[in-house]
Amino acid sequence: MRAAFEEGLPLIYLQENGFTDLAKPGGKRMDACARGQLLILAPWEHHNEKRAIQRGQCLALNEMARVICEK
């Protein structure tokens, strides 16, 4: 992902933990979002507790990415 980002390739980043009400990317990620290079999505609500991502969540995120890329 880092190599693709540095090359300026378009990326969709799906994350397990959702966004807080005032969340926004910082630095290079903010610039990449503004250019349309980076899209950050979180299909589930934000939580504060530390939890390991589950296999089912990984599979769901992979499926979401596959569907997005087919559009």
Side-chain angles (χ1 to χ4, degrees):
M1 181 175 154
R2 185 176 303 131
F5 184 82
E6 294 300 325
E7 287 291 321
L9 298 172
L11 294 171
I12 299 171
Y13 179 71
L14 297 169
Q15 62 184 37
E16 176 274 328
N17 196 1
F19 303 106
T20 62
D21 289 341
L22 301 175
K24 66 177 183 176
K28 290 182 179 182
R29 285 183 171 194
M30 174 64 99
D31 295 338
C33 286
R35 286 192 308 272
Q37 176 194 353
L38 178 62
L39 174 64
I40 304 171
L41 300 173
W44 301 297
E45 293 198 19
H46 175 75
H47 56 82
N48 289 323
E49 62 273 1
K50 284 241 185 216
R51 39 176 135 146
I53 191 167
Q54 302 296 310
R55 182 177 188 274
Q57 291 173 302
C58 291
L59 293 173
L61 290 168
N62 287 341
E63 178 62 13
M64 290 175 205
R66 185 190 65 75
V67 170
I68 291 168
C69 288
E70 287 181 345
K71 300 285 178 184

